[in-house]
Amino acid sequence: MGLPVLHGIAELRRQIGQWREAGDGVGLVPTMGALHAGHLALVRAALGQHPRAVVSIFVNPTQFGPGEDFELYPRQPEADAALLADAGVSALYLPRVEEMYPDGFATQIQVGGPISQVLDAVHRPGHFTAVATVVCKLLMQALPDSAYFGEKDYQQLQLVRRMARDLDLPVAIRAVPTVREADGLALSSRNDYLSDAERATAAMLPRILQDAAVQIGAGAAVDPVLASARARLQRAGIGAIDYLELCDATSLLALRRADRPCRLLAAVRVGRTRLIDNFAVESR
Ligand code: AMP
């Protein structure tokens, strides 16, 4: 039997209800498809903690801004389904856009506080409201025991955690560390956009970011480390830096001193491709 593919909310709830009656817990992995080893790490985490894992694939139109890559975003449902079947996933959920956003749809989830005022919130207006709204809907549709998110999208992870806590959603939000290529580049569906030369340049981002995180962790003054990291990025051919900031690990408020749990986050453009990455700062 192939991987069950569910298209509707009623179908999804019926299937999950059957598993629950059999006593099986459920993990949900929300994605936009074009799956890679990063997504599969989330799947493994879900299957490690629950007998059943559902992966959703939904290229959510509302979270792409004007001029962003909604049309271009890679879509490969057959290859994705094959990967998920091999990984032992219990079902693939492919919501229909008309059911997600029926005529008259008018509700948005707006997470307040610094999380939605800094970093990507500045550079992608409306993005996180759209993400919070679609993730809330997916969680309410599936009502899994746990839902899995990658640290790769660190601001999104903190946003989802804040939302789940504030709305008392009965779902545990679980984080999975970033999966990287051998040269350190974080896996991303958007890496497919990079030419060979851009791909080589892109590998400098994690290297420079990690060096800076290590220096800050070792006690170096934050501002000079960030200035030198920005200069290194520019010398590497990454001139378009949307942000490179040290932030509180939970609220994402910018910090000038590493005096609490913190994270270094960056967004840059390599050619026309926007890349994000982040590293924990570990004090030693
Ligand atoms: P996306 O399909 O890009 O929306 O990502 C779906 C989920 O996979 C999100 O929770 C991402 O943070 C996570 N993810 C994407 N890339 C990686 C990666 N390289 N390592 C770990 N998780 C990832």
Side-chain angles (χ1 to χ4, degrees):
M1 220 189 73
L3 174 71
V5 180
L6 313 171
H7 292 276
I9 299 169
E11 225 183 327
L12 175 74
R13 289 195 170 135
R14 207 175 311 123
Q15 176 64 86
I16 290 179
Q18 282 170 8
W19 292 333
R20 287 212 181 287
E21 271 170 39
D24 286 353
V26 182
L28 175 70
V29 179
T31 81
M32 298 205 302
L35 301 179
H36 51 63
H39 298 111
L40 294 181
L42 273 59
V43 167
R44 265 197 309 280
L47 284 171
Q49 292 178 314
H50 302 289
R52 302 288 182 175
V54 176
V55 173
S56 63
I57 297 182
F58 184 61
V59 185
N60 177 32
T62 62
Q63 73 188 63
F64 290 78
E68 288 189 356
D69 55 346
F70 175 66
E71 304 296 337
L72 208 66
Y73 200 84
R75 291 161 172 88
Q76 47 183 60
E78 284 87 18
D80 286 349
L83 271 180
L84 295 176
D86 277 357
V89 163
S90 317
L92 169 58
Y93 176 41
L94 299 176
R96 296 188 192 92
V97 78
E98 317 81 75
E99 199 177 18
M100 274 294 193
Y101 302 117
D103 282 349
F105 183 85
T107 301
Q108 309 289 342
I109 304 289
Q110 179 137 28
V111 178
I115 288 176
S116 47
Q117 291 163 12
V118 300
L119 308 177
D120 264 358
V122 175
H123 292 272
R124 305 186 70 188
H127 172 71
F128 285 126
T129 296
V131 167
T133 303
V134 78
V135 170
C136 187
K137 285 173 67 72
L138 289 166
L139 297 182
M140 297 306 288
Q141 290 168 8
L143 281 180
D145 298 280
S146 310
Y148 295 80
F149 295 86
E151 288 185 349
K152 156 81 174 29
D153 299 280
Y154 192 81
Q155 191 172 5
Q156 168 177 287
L157 167 66
Q158 297 309 322
L159 176 100
V160 169
R161 281 186 162 146
R162 183 77 259 161
M163 172 187 73
R165 214 172 293 149
D166 289 354
L167 297 181
D168 308 309
L169 299 183
V171 178
I173 305 301
R174 312 234 186 241
V176 176
T178 302
V179 178
R180 298 177 180 279
E181 303 276 10
D183 65 3
L185 182 67
L187 296 187
S188 164
S189 309
R190 290 190 167 97
N191 294 351
D192 291 354
Y193 301 155
L194 298 168
S195 68
D196 289 350
E198 290 170 344
R199 172 66 187 77
T201 302
M204 293 305 291
L205 172 64
R207 207 171 302 167
I208 293 169
L209 209 52
Q210 188 176 29
D211 284 353
V214 168
Q215 287 166 26
I216 293 170
V222 173
D223 285 349
V225 170
L226 297 185
S228 130
R230 287 192 191 101
R232 274 186 79 193
L233 284 169
Q234 290 191 327
R235 281 199 301 278
I238 307 180
I241 303 170
D242 281 356
Y243 57 80
L244 192 169
E245 301 276 3
L246 181 72
C247 295
D248 179 286
T250 305
S251 73
L252 296 183
L253 262 181
L255 299 176
R256 315 270 311 262
R257 291 158 62 92
D259 54 3
R260 63 192 90 168
C262 54
R263 199 106 190 162
L264 198 56
L265 297 100
V268 302
R269 271 161 289 135
V270 175
R272 299 179 62 182
T273 306
R274 190 168 187 277
L275 302 175
I276 58 172
D277 203 349
N278 66 87
F279 283 88
V281 171
E282 278 147 21
S283 302
R284 55 198 76 225

